[in-house]
Amino acid sequence: MSLTRSLLRLRPFLALMLLALMPLALPGVSLAEDVILFPYFDANGQNGVYLSWSKDGRNFEQANGGKPIFTPPQWGGGQNLTRDPSIVYHDGLFHMVWTSNWSGTIFGHASSPDLVTWSTPQQVRPFPLGGEQPNNVWAPEIFRDHVAEDYKIVWSSTLPSEFNDGDGSQDPHNGDHRMYYIETTDFQSFSTPELLFQDEGYSVIDAHVVWQPTGPDDTGRWVMSLKKEQGTEQGGKNIRLAFSDAAIGPSSFGQTTQPIVGPGTSIRGNEVAEGSSTVFWDNEWLMYWDSYGNGHYSMASSPDLTTWTDETDALSFPVNHPRHGSVFIADKDDIGWRLAARADLNDNGMLDSGDWTIFNANHLASLAPYSELERSLRGDLDGDGDNDFEDFRLFQSDYDNANGQGAFAALRDVPEPGAAALMTLGIAGGAARQRR
């Protein structure tokens, strides 16, 4: 008989009290722990999708040892990139969409129960054959519409008819983008595309949509961040907000704000901006965006979506310049990757002597019988399958970075790898690199 059923046989009041205390009292039972996830790409998107995560929205760590969590399908017609990844979690599955090339008529979709094992990638053609086809399908963003109980995917496309209409709304890159969306419940059938953002007479790209539970009139609303894709001399290359009532329909997003970040604003006003995404975390709004012309990501915070503070200097990523990702919140227990600092081997949220004990116990030992995750928990910090001299140096560096320079030297009373062993391993490692 389960513990829960046994408790329910007790007097009702006592049973309810004990059940309420179970997550706190029983060993091995953990409470849900949300984290911010940030999938992104690098270079041109040919290497796959990478994942980083954060507990505070400012300091991000890499998952999977900095290797891609998803690699591009090699579709025909050059549709083999994974740019602009966007992920949502609902009902036991993560759904991801991405840009498969700079030009074309499709975007990609795949699902996963844990961000580790993925379904066969699917090509989605949002504009049905037989109708007008777009020049491109850029930056699809997926979100769960809890009001309509479906998934919505929003993206930007240039249609030839829009580009050639002579209204002067085109951008400097031979595009004239408008924001479209489709709906689905099963990722097998999709609605016909409709405009989502009211046409305000200029090219727009890179929409991201998030729910605001309490709007100005306490009813809740949807919030879209987007980029005005026109030159700075036309008031573009910056990020704005638009809003929709709870029931999303064609052209329901409007009420566009003035620019918030990027050219024409007080926040990173000399840096062009794109690829924004927004999340409500720890009682504040956090907006992230790609300052692509300056080679870094940026972030601002706000208590109310009106007053914003630049926090870019407080933002730390494990790579110099992640490219156009989208933040979202997920329960740590639903994610198959280990989410802990690289050298935090006991997963207690800090780098301490306990991590060194684990590292030292597995140094130079064979890790072949273990899985990739288990090897990382035994000190394979560089993901090459062993715990060797390079891993020792990484541990030393991480420990000092976390605890202050010289902190690792304070562990001298804890036995460390013998100098001779480290020297031998260093020579062997150098020789191996020369042979390559």
mmCIF file of all heavy atoms in Angstrom, residues 76-123:
data_model
loop_
_atom_site.group_PDB
_atom_site.id
_atom_site.type_symbol
_atom_site.label_atom_id
_atom_site.label_comp_id
_atom_site.label_asym_id
_atom_site.label_seq_id
_atom_site.Cartn_x
_atom_site.Cartn_y
_atom_site.Cartn_z
ATOM 1 N N GLY A 76 16.637 19.056 -48.064
ATOM 2 C CA GLY A 76 17.033 19.559 -49.373
ATOM 3 C C GLY A 76 16.757 21.045 -49.515
ATOM 4 O O GLY A 76 16.105 21.676 -48.671
ATOM 5 N N GLY A 77 17.275 21.608 -50.588
ATOM 6 C CA GLY A 77 17.046 23.023 -50.865
ATOM 7 C C GLY A 77 17.735 23.958 -49.915
ATOM 8 O O GLY A 77 17.336 25.127 -49.781
ATOM 9 N N GLY A 78 18.770 23.481 -49.231
ATOM 10 C CA GLY A 78 19.510 24.340 -48.318
ATOM 11 C C GLY A 78 18.829 24.594 -46.994
ATOM 12 O O GLY A 78 19.306 25.419 -46.200
ATOM 13 N N GLN A 79 17.739 23.889 -46.709
ATOM 14 C CA GLN A 79 17.009 24.119 -45.461
ATOM 15 C C GLN A 79 17.649 23.300 -44.333
ATOM 16 O O GLN A 79 17.044 22.385 -43.778
ATOM 17 C CB GLN A 79 15.541 23.751 -45.645
ATOM 18 C CG GLN A 79 14.837 24.504 -46.753
ATOM 19 C CD GLN A 79 14.766 26.003 -46.484
ATOM 20 O OE1 GLN A 79 14.457 26.426 -45.365
ATOM 21 N NE2 GLN A 79 15.048 26.808 -47.489
ATOM 22 N N ASN A 80 18.870 23.657 -43.983
ATOM 23 C CA ASN A 80 19.631 22.860 -43.026
ATOM 24 C C ASN A 80 20.264 23.705 -41.916
ATOM 25 O O ASN A 80 21.326 23.368 -41.403
ATOM 26 C CB ASN A 80 20.718 22.060 -43.753
ATOM 27 C CG ASN A 80 21.609 22.951 -44.614
ATOM 28 O OD1 ASN A 80 21.455 24.170 -44.616
ATOM 29 N ND2 ASN A 80 22.535 22.339 -45.338
ATOM 30 N N LEU A 81 19.589 24.792 -41.548
ATOM 31 C CA LEU A 81 20.058 25.623 -40.446
ATOM 32 C C LEU A 81 19.086 25.507 -39.269
ATOM 33 O O LEU A 81 17.936 25.087 -39.439
ATOM 34 C CB LEU A 81 20.160 27.090 -40.881
ATOM 35 C CG LEU A 81 21.065 27.395 -42.080
ATOM 36 C CD1 LEU A 81 21.030 28.888 -42.396
ATOM 37 C CD2 LEU A 81 22.489 26.928 -41.828
ATOM 38 N N THR A 82 19.566 25.856 -38.092
ATOM 39 C CA THR A 82 18.705 25.950 -36.904
ATOM 40 C C THR A 82 18.917 27.321 -36.277
ATOM 41 O O THR A 82 19.525 27.462 -35.220
ATOM 42 C CB THR A 82 19.014 24.833 -35.886
ATOM 43 O OG1 THR A 82 20.439 24.748 -35.701
ATOM 44 C CG2 THR A 82 18.480 23.499 -36.350
ATOM 45 N N ARG A 83 18.390 28.337 -36.930
ATOM 46 C CA ARG A 83 18.474 29.705 -36.429
ATOM 47 C C ARG A 83 17.218 30.023 -35.605
ATOM 48 O O ARG A 83 16.165 29.422 -35.779
ATOM 49 C CB ARG A 83 18.580 30.694 -37.588
ATOM 50 C CG ARG A 83 19.833 30.518 -38.454
ATOM 51 C CD ARG A 83 19.807 31.458 -39.654
ATOM 52 N NE ARG A 83 19.775 32.855 -39.243
ATOM 53 C CZ ARG A 83 20.849 33.590 -38.976
ATOM 54 N NH1 ARG A 83 22.068 33.062 -39.087
ATOM 55 N NH2 ARG A 83 20.733 34.855 -38.618
ATOM 56 N N ASP A 84 17.365 30.985 -34.696
ATOM 57 C CA ASP A 84 16.229 31.567 -33.978
ATOM 58 C C ASP A 84 15.364 30.522 -33.267
ATOM 59 O O ASP A 84 14.126 30.531 -33.400
ATOM 60 C CB ASP A 84 15.339 32.366 -34.940
ATOM 61 C CG ASP A 84 16.124 33.185 -35.946
ATOM 62 O OD1 ASP A 84 17.128 33.801 -35.537
ATOM 63 O OD2 ASP A 84 15.754 33.196 -37.136
ATOM 64 N N PRO A 85 15.938 29.602 -32.491
ATOM 65 C CA PRO A 85 15.112 28.563 -31.854
ATOM 66 C C PRO A 85 14.161 29.147 -30.810
ATOM 67 O O PRO A 85 14.507 30.066 -30.067
ATOM 68 C CB PRO A 85 16.149 27.645 -31.205
ATOM 69 C CG PRO A 85 17.322 28.547 -30.933
ATOM 70 C CD PRO A 85 17.351 29.506 -32.090
ATOM 71 N N SER A 86 12.966 28.595 -30.783
ATOM 72 C CA SER A 86 11.953 28.988 -29.797
ATOM 73 C C SER A 86 11.320 27.710 -29.252
ATOM 74 O O SER A 86 10.953 26.819 -30.017
ATOM 75 C CB SER A 86 10.892 29.868 -30.453
ATOM 76 O OG SER A 86 9.791 30.081 -29.582
ATOM 77 N N ILE A 87 11.172 27.623 -27.919
ATOM 78 C CA ILE A 87 10.672 26.413 -27.276
ATOM 79 C C ILE A 87 9.573 26.767 -26.287
ATOM 80 O O ILE A 87 9.640 27.784 -25.592
ATOM 81 C CB ILE A 87 11.808 25.668 -26.540
ATOM 82 C CG1 ILE A 87 12.941 25.305 -27.515
ATOM 83 C CG2 ILE A 87 11.287 24.405 -25.858
ATOM 84 C CD1 ILE A 87 14.137 24.631 -26.849
ATOM 85 N N VAL A 88 8.559 25.899 -26.216
ATOM 86 C CA VAL A 88 7.516 26.014 -25.207
ATOM 87 C C VAL A 88 7.286 24.630 -24.617
ATOM 88 O O VAL A 88 7.469 23.616 -25.303
ATOM 89 C CB VAL A 88 6.216 26.586 -25.808
ATOM 90 C CG1 VAL A 88 5.574 25.607 -26.779
ATOM 91 C CG2 VAL A 88 5.226 26.978 -24.711
ATOM 92 N N TYR A 89 6.882 24.572 -23.339
ATOM 93 C CA TYR A 89 6.595 23.301 -22.674
ATOM 94 C C TYR A 89 5.133 23.255 -22.284
ATOM 95 O O TYR A 89 4.593 24.198 -21.698
ATOM 96 C CB TYR A 89 7.462 23.134 -21.426
ATOM 97 C CG TYR A 89 7.217 21.833 -20.692
ATOM 98 C CD1 TYR A 89 7.812 20.656 -21.139
ATOM 99 C CD2 TYR A 89 6.398 21.784 -19.567
ATOM 100 C CE1 TYR A 89 7.585 19.453 -20.473
ATOM 101 C CE2 TYR A 89 6.176 20.596 -18.894
ATOM 102 C CZ TYR A 89 6.772 19.428 -19.358
ATOM 103 O OH TYR A 89 6.551 18.255 -18.698
ATOM 104 N N HIS A 90 4.477 22.125 -22.612
ATOM 105 C CA HIS A 90 3.085 21.935 -22.202
ATOM 106 C C HIS A 90 2.742 20.457 -22.271
ATOM 107 O O HIS A 90 3.106 19.768 -23.224
ATOM 108 C CB HIS A 90 2.127 22.726 -23.112
ATOM 109 C CG HIS A 90 0.683 22.504 -22.781
ATOM 110 N ND1 HIS A 90 0.085 23.000 -21.640
ATOM 111 C CD2 HIS A 90 -0.289 21.819 -23.445
ATOM 112 C CE1 HIS A 90 -1.181 22.641 -21.611
ATOM 113 N NE2 HIS A 90 -1.441 21.924 -22.686
ATOM 114 N N ASP A 91 2.044 19.992 -21.258
ATOM 115 C CA ASP A 91 1.475 18.649 -21.241
ATOM 116 C C ASP A 91 2.524 17.574 -21.531
ATOM 117 O O ASP A 91 2.299 16.647 -22.306
ATOM 118 C CB ASP A 91 0.331 18.569 -22.256
ATOM 119 C CG ASP A 91 -0.611 17.402 -21.986
ATOM 120 O OD1 ASP A 91 -0.628 16.912 -20.842
ATOM 121 O OD2 ASP A 91 -1.327 16.964 -22.925
ATOM 122 N N GLY A 92 3.689 17.705 -20.894
ATOM 123 C CA GLY A 92 4.708 16.668 -20.972
ATOM 124 C C GLY A 92 5.639 16.733 -22.159
ATOM 125 O O GLY A 92 6.500 15.858 -22.304
ATOM 126 N N LEU A 93 5.509 17.749 -23.010
ATOM 127 C CA LEU A 93 6.372 17.846 -24.189
ATOM 128 C C LEU A 93 6.901 19.260 -24.372
ATOM 129 O O LEU A 93 6.189 20.253 -24.164
ATOM 130 C CB LEU A 93 5.613 17.446 -25.456
ATOM 131 C CG LEU A 93 5.447 15.953 -25.777
ATOM 132 C CD1 LEU A 93 4.644 15.797 -27.058
ATOM 133 C CD2 LEU A 93 6.800 15.272 -25.908
ATOM 134 N N PHE A 94 8.163 19.328 -24.773
ATOM 135 C CA PHE A 94 8.742 20.565 -25.272
ATOM 136 C C PHE A 94 8.541 20.596 -26.790
ATOM 137 O O PHE A 94 8.843 19.610 -27.473
ATOM 138 C CB PHE A 94 10.240 20.634 -24.967
ATOM 139 C CG PHE A 94 10.566 20.745 -23.509
ATOM 140 C CD1 PHE A 94 10.796 19.603 -22.745
ATOM 141 C CD2 PHE A 94 10.664 21.978 -22.894
ATOM 142 C CE1 PHE A 94 11.099 19.690 -21.391
ATOM 143 C CE2 PHE A 94 10.976 22.085 -21.548
ATOM 144 C CZ PHE A 94 11.191 20.941 -20.793
ATOM 145 N N HIS A 95 8.044 21.705 -27.304
ATOM 146 C CA HIS A 95 7.927 21.904 -28.745
ATOM 147 C C HIS A 95 8.884 23.013 -29.160
ATOM 148 O O HIS A 95 8.884 24.090 -28.546
ATOM 149 C CB HIS A 95 6.494 22.278 -29.133
ATOM 150 C CG HIS A 95 5.521 21.157 -28.989
ATOM 151 N ND1 HIS A 95 5.352 20.194 -29.959
ATOM 152 C CD2 HIS A 95 4.673 20.839 -27.978
ATOM 153 C CE1 HIS A 95 4.433 19.333 -29.566
ATOM 154 N NE2 HIS A 95 4.007 19.688 -28.359
ATOM 155 N N MET A 96 9.680 22.749 -30.180
ATOM 156 C CA MET A 96 10.641 23.722 -30.671
ATOM 157 C C MET A 96 10.381 24.018 -32.147
ATOM 158 O O MET A 96 10.103 23.116 -32.940
ATOM 159 C CB MET A 96 12.077 23.216 -30.498
ATOM 160 C CG MET A 96 13.135 24.208 -31.006
ATOM 161 S SD MET A 96 14.835 23.732 -30.562
ATOM 162 C CE MET A 96 15.049 22.263 -31.588
ATOM 163 N N VAL A 97 10.488 25.294 -32.504
ATOM 164 C CA VAL A 97 10.437 25.717 -33.902
ATOM 165 C C VAL A 97 11.691 26.540 -34.185
ATOM 166 O O VAL A 97 12.301 27.111 -33.276
ATOM 167 C CB VAL A 97 9.165 26.528 -34.211
ATOM 168 C CG1 VAL A 97 7.924 25.663 -34.073
ATOM 169 C CG2 VAL A 97 9.058 27.756 -33.311
ATOM 170 N N TRP A 98 12.084 26.607 -35.461
ATOM 171 C CA TRP A 98 13.300 27.328 -35.814
ATOM 172 C C TRP A 98 13.266 27.751 -37.279
ATOM 173 O O TRP A 98 12.496 27.214 -38.090
ATOM 174 C CB TRP A 98 14.547 26.473 -35.539
ATOM 175 C CG TRP A 98 14.652 25.248 -36.412
ATOM 176 C CD1 TRP A 98 15.260 25.136 -37.635
ATOM 177 C CD2 TRP A 98 14.110 23.944 -36.128
ATOM 178 N NE1 TRP A 98 15.150 23.864 -38.126
ATOM 179 C CE2 TRP A 98 14.450 23.111 -37.229
ATOM 180 C CE3 TRP A 98 13.394 23.398 -35.064
ATOM 181 C CZ2 TRP A 98 14.080 21.761 -37.275
ATOM 182 C CZ3 TRP A 98 13.021 22.071 -35.121
ATOM 183 C CH2 TRP A 98 13.370 21.263 -36.205
ATOM 184 N N THR A 99 14.129 28.702 -37.617
ATOM 185 C CA THR A 99 14.328 29.143 -38.993
ATOM 186 C C THR A 99 15.284 28.181 -39.674
ATOM 187 O O THR A 99 16.397 27.966 -39.199
ATOM 188 C CB THR A 99 14.922 30.566 -39.033
ATOM 189 O OG1 THR A 99 14.088 31.456 -38.294
ATOM 190 C CG2 THR A 99 15.064 31.066 -40.466
ATOM 191 N N SER A 100 14.865 27.621 -40.812
ATOM 192 C CA SER A 100 15.690 26.603 -41.476
ATOM 193 C C SER A 100 16.586 27.178 -42.574
ATOM 194 O O SER A 100 17.479 26.483 -43.050
ATOM 195 C CB SER A 100 14.801 25.495 -42.055
ATOM 196 O OG SER A 100 13.818 26.026 -42.916
ATOM 197 N N ASN A 101 16.371 28.419 -42.982
ATOM 198 C CA ASN A 101 17.272 29.091 -43.915
ATOM 199 C C ASN A 101 16.863 30.551 -44.031
ATOM 200 O O ASN A 101 15.773 30.947 -43.620
ATOM 201 C CB ASN A 101 17.281 28.431 -45.292
ATOM 202 C CG ASN A 101 18.589 28.682 -46.047
ATOM 203 O OD1 ASN A 101 19.306 29.638 -45.779
ATOM 204 N ND2 ASN A 101 18.909 27.812 -46.986
ATOM 205 N N TRP A 102 17.738 31.347 -44.630
ATOM 206 C CA TRP A 102 17.455 32.767 -44.833
ATOM 207 C C TRP A 102 16.296 32.965 -45.811
ATOM 208 O O TRP A 102 15.548 33.937 -45.703
ATOM 209 C CB TRP A 102 18.694 33.481 -45.351
ATOM 210 C CG TRP A 102 19.763 33.653 -44.330
ATOM 211 C CD1 TRP A 102 20.717 32.752 -43.972
ATOM 212 C CD2 TRP A 102 19.981 34.797 -43.501
ATOM 213 N NE1 TRP A 102 21.528 33.263 -42.987
ATOM 214 C CE2 TRP A 102 21.100 34.526 -42.684
ATOM 215 C CE3 TRP A 102 19.358 36.036 -43.376
ATOM 216 C CZ2 TRP A 102 21.593 35.436 -41.761
ATOM 217 C CZ3 TRP A 102 19.847 36.950 -42.458
ATOM 218 C CH2 TRP A 102 20.952 36.642 -41.659
ATOM 219 N N SER A 103 16.176 32.079 -46.764
ATOM 220 C CA SER A 103 15.083 32.154 -47.728
ATOM 221 C C SER A 103 14.384 30.808 -47.785
ATOM 222 O O SER A 103 14.938 29.788 -47.351
ATOM 223 C CB SER A 103 15.602 32.538 -49.116
ATOM 224 O OG SER A 103 16.527 31.569 -49.589
ATOM 225 N N GLY A 104 13.170 30.785 -48.303
ATOM 226 C CA GLY A 104 12.419 29.550 -48.391
ATOM 227 C C GLY A 104 11.003 29.724 -47.898
ATOM 228 O O GLY A 104 10.587 30.819 -47.487
ATOM 229 N N THR A 105 10.256 28.630 -47.887
ATOM 230 C CA THR A 105 8.829 28.676 -47.584
ATOM 231 C C THR A 105 8.438 27.824 -46.381
ATOM 232 O O THR A 105 7.258 27.602 -46.140
ATOM 233 C CB THR A 105 8.031 28.204 -48.811
ATOM 234 O OG1 THR A 105 8.431 26.861 -49.139
ATOM 235 C CG2 THR A 105 8.286 29.109 -50.010
ATOM 236 N N ILE A 106 9.419 27.339 -45.608
ATOM 237 C CA ILE A 106 9.125 26.454 -44.484
ATOM 238 C C ILE A 106 9.860 26.913 -43.234
ATOM 239 O O ILE A 106 10.783 27.735 -43.289
ATOM 240 C CB ILE A 106 9.523 24.989 -44.788
ATOM 241 C CG1 ILE A 106 11.046 24.892 -44.941
ATOM 242 C CG2 ILE A 106 8.804 24.463 -46.016
ATOM 243 C CD1 ILE A 106 11.566 23.462 -45.008
ATOM 244 N N PHE A 107 9.428 26.365 -42.086
ATOM 245 C CA PHE A 107 10.231 26.421 -40.864
ATOM 246 C C PHE A 107 10.228 25.024 -40.261
ATOM 247 O O PHE A 107 9.477 24.134 -40.694
ATOM 248 C CB PHE A 107 9.713 27.477 -39.875
ATOM 249 C CG PHE A 107 8.334 27.242 -39.328
ATOM 250 C CD1 PHE A 107 8.112 26.379 -38.257
ATOM 251 C CD2 PHE A 107 7.239 27.908 -39.864
ATOM 252 C CE1 PHE A 107 6.849 26.170 -37.739
ATOM 253 C CE2 PHE A 107 5.952 27.712 -39.351
ATOM 254 C CZ PHE A 107 5.756 26.841 -38.292
ATOM 255 N N GLY A 108 11.061 24.788 -39.255
ATOM 256 C CA GLY A 108 11.188 23.470 -38.659
ATOM 257 C C GLY A 108 10.449 23.349 -37.346
ATOM 258 O O GLY A 108 10.242 24.331 -36.626
ATOM 259 N N HIS A 109 10.051 22.105 -37.029
ATOM 260 C CA HIS A 109 9.426 21.789 -35.743
ATOM 261 C C HIS A 109 9.892 20.419 -35.276
ATOM 262 O O HIS A 109 10.054 19.493 -36.086
ATOM 263 C CB HIS A 109 7.901 21.783 -35.849
ATOM 264 C CG HIS A 109 7.240 21.107 -34.678
ATOM 265 N ND1 HIS A 109 6.766 19.801 -34.732
ATOM 266 C CD2 HIS A 109 7.011 21.534 -33.411
ATOM 267 C CE1 HIS A 109 6.257 19.472 -33.555
ATOM 268 N NE2 HIS A 109 6.385 20.500 -32.734
ATOM 269 N N ALA A 110 10.137 20.277 -33.993
ATOM 270 C CA ALA A 110 10.409 18.979 -33.375
ATOM 271 C C ALA A 110 9.942 19.050 -31.926
ATOM 272 O O ALA A 110 9.810 20.138 -31.353
ATOM 273 C CB ALA A 110 11.895 18.628 -33.445
ATOM 274 N N SER A 111 9.693 17.891 -31.326
ATOM 275 C CA SER A 111 9.249 17.845 -29.934
ATOM 276 C C SER A 111 10.146 16.913 -29.138
ATOM 277 O O SER A 111 10.846 16.060 -29.691
ATOM 278 C CB SER A 111 7.793 17.390 -29.841
ATOM 279 O OG SER A 111 7.641 16.071 -30.337
ATOM 280 N N SER A 112 10.109 17.080 -27.826
ATOM 281 C CA SER A 112 10.959 16.289 -26.941
ATOM 282 C C SER A 112 10.324 16.208 -25.563
ATOM 283 O O SER A 112 9.766 17.203 -25.077
ATOM 284 C CB SER A 112 12.350 16.914 -26.834
ATOM 285 O OG SER A 112 13.123 16.288 -25.822
ATOM 286 N N PRO A 113 10.444 15.065 -24.886
ATOM 287 C CA PRO A 113 9.948 14.986 -23.504
ATOM 288 C C PRO A 113 10.903 15.607 -22.498
ATOM 289 O O PRO A 113 10.497 15.889 -21.365
ATOM 290 C CB PRO A 113 9.805 13.488 -23.271
ATOM 291 C CG PRO A 113 10.844 12.879 -24.155
ATOM 292 C CD PRO A 113 10.902 13.748 -25.380
ATOM 293 N N ASP A 114 12.163 15.821 -22.897
ATOM 294 C CA ASP A 114 13.174 16.218 -21.909
ATOM 295 C C ASP A 114 14.276 17.119 -22.449
ATOM 296 O O ASP A 114 15.250 17.404 -21.747
ATOM 297 C CB ASP A 114 13.819 14.966 -21.319
ATOM 298 C CG ASP A 114 14.389 14.039 -22.386
ATOM 299 O OD1 ASP A 114 14.467 14.439 -23.572
ATOM 300 O OD2 ASP A 114 14.763 12.895 -22.036
ATOM 301 N N LEU A 115 14.190 17.571 -23.700
ATOM 302 C CA LEU A 115 15.210 18.370 -24.384
ATOM 303 C C LEU A 115 16.467 17.559 -24.706
ATOM 304 O O LEU A 115 17.478 18.129 -25.117
ATOM 305 C CB LEU A 115 15.596 19.617 -23.571
ATOM 306 C CG LEU A 115 14.478 20.631 -23.339
ATOM 307 C CD1 LEU A 115 14.980 21.779 -22.445
ATOM 308 C CD2 LEU A 115 13.958 21.190 -24.658
ATOM 309 N N VAL A 116 16.391 16.257 -24.547
ATOM 310 C CA VAL A 116 17.513 15.377 -24.882
ATOM 311 C C VAL A 116 17.172 14.523 -26.095
ATOM 312 O O VAL A 116 17.914 14.498 -27.091
ATOM 313 C CB VAL A 116 17.892 14.482 -23.684
ATOM 314 C CG1 VAL A 116 19.026 13.528 -24.059
ATOM 315 C CG2 VAL A 116 18.289 15.326 -22.479
ATOM 316 N N THR A 117 16.068 13.816 -26.022
ATOM 317 C CA THR A 117 15.608 12.948 -27.111
ATOM 318 C C THR A 117 14.546 13.690 -27.909
ATOM 319 O O THR A 117 13.558 14.174 -27.342
ATOM 320 C CB THR A 117 15.016 11.648 -26.550
ATOM 321 O OG1 THR A 117 15.995 11.003 -25.738
ATOM 322 C CG2 THR A 117 14.599 10.725 -27.684
ATOM 323 N N TRP A 118 14.750 13.757 -29.232
ATOM 324 C CA TRP A 118 13.878 14.568 -30.081
ATOM 325 C C TRP A 118 13.134 13.714 -31.104
ATOM 326 O O TRP A 118 13.637 12.684 -31.563
ATOM 327 C CB TRP A 118 14.696 15.634 -30.815
ATOM 328 C CG TRP A 118 15.244 16.679 -29.902
ATOM 329 C CD1 TRP A 118 16.448 16.653 -29.253
ATOM 330 C CD2 TRP A 118 14.597 17.881 -29.491
ATOM 331 N NE1 TRP A 118 16.596 17.769 -28.471
ATOM 332 C CE2 TRP A 118 15.472 18.547 -28.598
ATOM 333 C CE3 TRP A 118 13.370 18.468 -29.791
ATOM 334 C CZ2 TRP A 118 15.150 19.772 -28.016
ATOM 335 C CZ3 TRP A 118 13.049 19.693 -29.212
ATOM 336 C CH2 TRP A 118 13.934 20.332 -28.328
ATOM 337 N N SER A 119 11.948 14.171 -31.456
ATOM 338 C CA SER A 119 11.175 13.544 -32.518
ATOM 339 C C SER A 119 11.849 13.806 -33.872
ATOM 340 O O SER A 119 12.749 14.646 -33.985
ATOM 341 C CB SER A 119 9.749 14.097 -32.544
ATOM 342 O OG SER A 119 9.770 15.480 -32.898
ATOM 343 N N THR A 120 11.411 13.084 -34.883
ATOM 344 C CA THR A 120 11.906 13.345 -36.236
ATOM 345 C C THR A 120 11.516 14.762 -36.636
ATOM 346 O O THR A 120 10.340 15.136 -36.549
ATOM 347 C CB THR A 120 11.303 12.347 -37.235
ATOM 348 O OG1 THR A 120 11.670 11.026 -36.842
ATOM 349 C CG2 THR A 120 11.802 12.614 -38.645
ATOM 350 N N PRO A 121 12.471 15.589 -37.052
ATOM 351 C CA PRO A 121 12.151 16.973 -37.414
ATOM 352 C C PRO A 121 11.112 17.041 -38.529
ATOM 353 O O PRO A 121 11.097 16.222 -39.450
ATOM 354 C CB PRO A 121 13.496 17.538 -37.864
ATOM 355 C CG PRO A 121 14.516 16.690 -37.173
ATOM 356 C CD PRO A 121 13.925 15.322 -37.133
ATOM 357 N N GLN A 122 10.254 18.026 -38.431
ATOM 358 C CA GLN A 122 9.116 18.194 -39.331
ATOM 359 C C GLN A 122 9.226 19.526 -40.070
ATOM 360 O O GLN A 122 9.501 20.560 -39.464
ATOM 361 C CB GLN A 122 7.827 18.155 -38.498
ATOM 362 C CG GLN A 122 6.557 18.559 -39.211
ATOM 363 C CD GLN A 122 5.405 18.732 -38.244
ATOM 364 O OE1 GLN A 122 5.587 18.687 -37.028
ATOM 365 N NE2 GLN A 122 4.206 18.958 -38.778
ATOM 366 N N GLN A 123 9.004 19.503 -41.370
ATOM 367 C CA GLN A 123 8.911 20.737 -42.142
ATOM 368 C C GLN A 123 7.479 21.260 -42.073
ATOM 369 O O GLN A 123 6.534 20.529 -42.329
ATOM 370 C CB GLN A 123 9.289 20.493 -43.598
ATOM 371 C CG GLN A 123 10.720 20.023 -43.810
ATOM 372 C CD GLN A 123 11.058 19.879 -45.280
ATOM 373 O OE1 GLN A 123 10.494 20.567 -46.140
ATOM 374 N NE2 GLN A 123 11.982 18.976 -45.583
#
